[in-house]
């Protein structure tokens, strides 16, 4: 369903829009509160636009990290074997009390740091799996929990149970309740013969500790451990590999001028946007960004609390998925989260948001240059 018609942005248009009359008034994210029906949540469980073209042969392994090339081969073989592994799974035999157990690992877990290409590889697996799009699903951990909330547990099992593959990006280990919920769901899907693949992040401070993230993942999903093969992917964040640092924030006038001179741009005051996010369910943030070609934000400040920070992380993920550049004034992205937050239980999410927003800020450089 289309988002509600945006109204004029809350940022003062006198702060620096261009004088000529050919520039469109930008949209305002704060004016959008879309309704997203459950069937759209299911239909949209495909790789996001940024990864629609992701394939194993477009993944460029770092020659210094042999685990990256190995991952491509392992996942390619895994995709080829999904049909064979599902044969007979989940079908009750005349004299059997339980469905036949799938042979061998029915899942793979990609363990690695930020920006080593795990999502690219996960999307490549989705594309390589021989099944129509409606028989395979791709979503983040948050999107999966949102789906359960929208459909109910039993209906989610029925909906996904006839799929060949479920890919879960950014599996979260920091919410015990959600982790147990998804663990139970995955158990039902494994029984139905669904192949599983998941990614999560190793914290920067834990990169030297071997399979720390994999051990956490396998412990948290309890009885499913035997169904997953941990696959370590080493390397540095490709978003910063050999690239300059993210541009410093601009002034309000530059941000506003860029918004007015960029077709499809939005323009919002950052504190107002944070307040608006508290009134819109995170499952709707993707729809809130429909049709937005660039996000322009004035007066970026450090987020005031954990709940606000977690909502901002979800928005950052949806913008990154859609390759929407971000132009800002105020504080730099590495100042969004306090030191206490970056040391706390949700630090993985915050580091990911900083990395992704930094990449989107870099992408926005050309828009700013064109607006001058």
């Amino acid at each position: 369903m289309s988002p509600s018609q945006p109204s004029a942005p809350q940022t003062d248009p006198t702060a620096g829009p261009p004088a000529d009359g050919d520039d469109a008034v930008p949209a305002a994210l704060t004016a959008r509160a879309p309704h997203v029906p459950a069937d759209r949540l299911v239909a949209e469980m495909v790789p996001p636009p940024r990864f629609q073209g992701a394939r194993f042969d477009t993944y460029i392994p770092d020659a210094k990290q042999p685990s990256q090339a190995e991952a491509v081969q392992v996942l390619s073989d895994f995709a080829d074997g999904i049909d064979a592994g599902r044969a007979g799974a989940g079908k009750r035999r005349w004299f059997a009390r339980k469905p036949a157990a799938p042979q061998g690992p029915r899942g793979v877990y990609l363990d690695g740091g930020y920006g080593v290409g795990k999502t690219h590889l996960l999307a490549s697996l989705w594309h390589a799996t021989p099944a129509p799009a409606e028989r395979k699903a791709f979503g983040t951990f948050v999107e999966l929990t949102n789906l359960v909330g929208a459909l109910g547990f039993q209906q989610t099992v029925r909906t996904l149970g006839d799929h060949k593959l479920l890919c879960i990006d950014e599996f979260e280990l920091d919410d015990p309740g959600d982790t147990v919920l998804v663990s139970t769901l995955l158990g039902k899907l494994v029984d139905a013969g669904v192949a599983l693949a998941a990614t999560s992040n190793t914290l920067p401070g834990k990169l030297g500790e071997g399979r720390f993230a994999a051990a956490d993942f396998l412990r948290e999903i309890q009885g499913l451990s035997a169904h997953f093969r941990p696959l370590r992917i080493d390397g540095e964040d490709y978003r910063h590999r050999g690239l300059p640092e993210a541009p410093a924030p601009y002034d309000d006038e530059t941000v506003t001028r860029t918004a007015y001179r960029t077709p499809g741009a939005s323009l919002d005051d950052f504190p107002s946007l944070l307040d608006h996010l508290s009134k819109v369910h995170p499952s709707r943030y993707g729809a809130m960004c429909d049709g937005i070609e660039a996000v322009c934000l004035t007066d970026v400040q450090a987020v005031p609390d954990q709940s606000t920070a977690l909502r901002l992380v979800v928005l950052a993920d949806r913008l990154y998925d859609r390759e929407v550049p971000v132009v800002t004034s105020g504080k730099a992205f590495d100042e969004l989260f306090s030191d206490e937050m970056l040391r706390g239980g949700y630090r993985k999410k915050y580091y990911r948001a900083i990395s992704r927003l930094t990449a989107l800020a870099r992408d926005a450089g050309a828009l700013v240059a064109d607006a001058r």
Side-chain angles (χ1 to χ4, degrees):
M1 188 170 185
S2 299
S4 57
Q5 182 66 31
S7 61
Q10 295 190 15
T11 300
D12 183 358
T14 65
D20 61 78
D22 295 333
D23 300 287
V25 175
L29 295 179
T30 50
R32 296 179 165 211
H35 169 70
V36 183
D39 57 353
R40 172 173 171 173
L41 294 178
V42 176
E44 290 186 343
M45 291 194 73
V46 298
R50 178 178 286 271
F51 297 101
Q52 279 297 325
R55 300 294 187 275
F56 289 129
D57 59 5
T58 62
Y59 179 81
I60 303 176
D62 186 339
K64 299 177 181 178
Q65 303 292 347
S67 62
Q68 295 186 9
E70 178 188 2
V72 172
Q73 186 60 56
V74 170
L75 290 172
S76 180
D77 293 343
F78 184 75
D80 291 341
I82 283 177
D83 263 340
R86 188 182 172 92
K91 296 182 179 179
R92 193 174 292 276
R93 300 175 181 177
W94 283 107
F95 302 104
R97 294 184 179 180
K98 296 181 179 180
Q103 298 299 311
R106 293 292 294 156
V108 61
Y109 166 70
L110 308 184
D111 172 30
Y114 299 89
V116 297
K118 297 187 304 299
T119 302
H120 184 124
L121 290 170
L122 194 67
S124 299
L125 172 64
W126 188 93
H127 287 295
T129 297
E134 62 270 19
R135 296 288 307 283
K136 48 190 179 180
F138 183 108
T140 64
F141 182 88
V142 171
E143 288 169 327
L144 187 59
T145 58
N146 287 340
L147 183 66
V148 175
L151 298 182
F153 184 84
Q154 294 300 332
Q155 184 58 45
T156 302
V157 172
R158 288 191 289 269
T159 299
L160 298 180
D162 66 347
H163 282 49
K164 287 191 175 183
L165 173 70
L166 171 62
C167 296
I168 308 171
D169 200 20
E170 306 294 354
F171 199 103
E172 306 289 0
L173 301 176
D174 43 31
D175 188 318
D178 282 348
T179 300
V180 171
L181 172 70
V182 173
S183 175
T184 305
L185 172 64
L186 297 186
K188 298 289 187 182
L189 297 180
V190 166
D191 286 345
V194 181
L196 306 174
T199 75
S200 190
N201 284 323
T202 301
L203 293 171
K206 300 292 185 180
L207 290 176
E209 297 185 15
R211 298 185 178 276
F212 170 85
D216 274 8
F217 176 83
L218 294 175
R219 181 182 64 249
E220 293 296 334
I221 61 173
Q222 301 170 357
L224 290 175
S225 298
H227 295 293
F228 278 88
R229 171 182 176 176
L231 187 61
R232 176 74 186 184
I233 304 175
D234 299 300
E236 60 179 310
D237 189 338
Y238 79 91
R239 289 182 283 266
H240 309 299
R241 194 184 302 161
L243 295 174
E245 292 295 320
Y250 302 96
D251 56 54
D252 286 354
E253 180 179 357
T254 298
V255 174
T256 305
R257 183 171 61 247
T258 301
Y260 274 81
R261 290 187 172 172
T262 303
S266 65
L267 176 60
D268 293 276
D269 168 70
F270 186 71
S272 297
L273 177 60
L274 294 184
D275 179 66
H276 182 64
L277 292 180
S278 69
K279 304 170 185 175
V280 179
H281 192 275
S283 65
R284 303 179 183 182
Y285 290 1
M288 192 169 68
C289 298
D290 283 352
I292 298 297
E293 300 297 328
V295 167
C296 299
L297 299 170
T298 58
D299 193 24
V300 170
Q301 304 173 9
V303 293
D305 56 70
Q306 195 100 266
S307 296
T308 302
L310 292 173
R311 288 191 289 267
L312 180 60
V313 167
V314 176
L315 179 63
D317 286 343
R318 300 293 81 79
L319 294 175
Y320 183 78
D321 288 345
R322 289 160 172 75
E323 301 182 289
V324 179
V326 178
V327 185
T328 64
S329 66
K331 289 186 176 294
F333 286 133
D334 60 3
E335 299 177 78
L336 283 174
F337 309 109
S338 68
D339 290 342
E340 182 180 1
M341 290 180 182
L342 294 177
R343 290 193 300 266
Y346 296 108
R347 57 196 183 277
K348 286 191 300 181
K349 297 186 180 192
Y350 301 147
Y351 278 113
R352 182 178 79 234
I354 291 170
S355 176
R356 291 183 166 185
L357 290 171
T358 295
L360 296 178
R362 186 182 298 119
D363 293 344
L367 297 180
V368 176
D370 290 343
R372 284 173 174 158

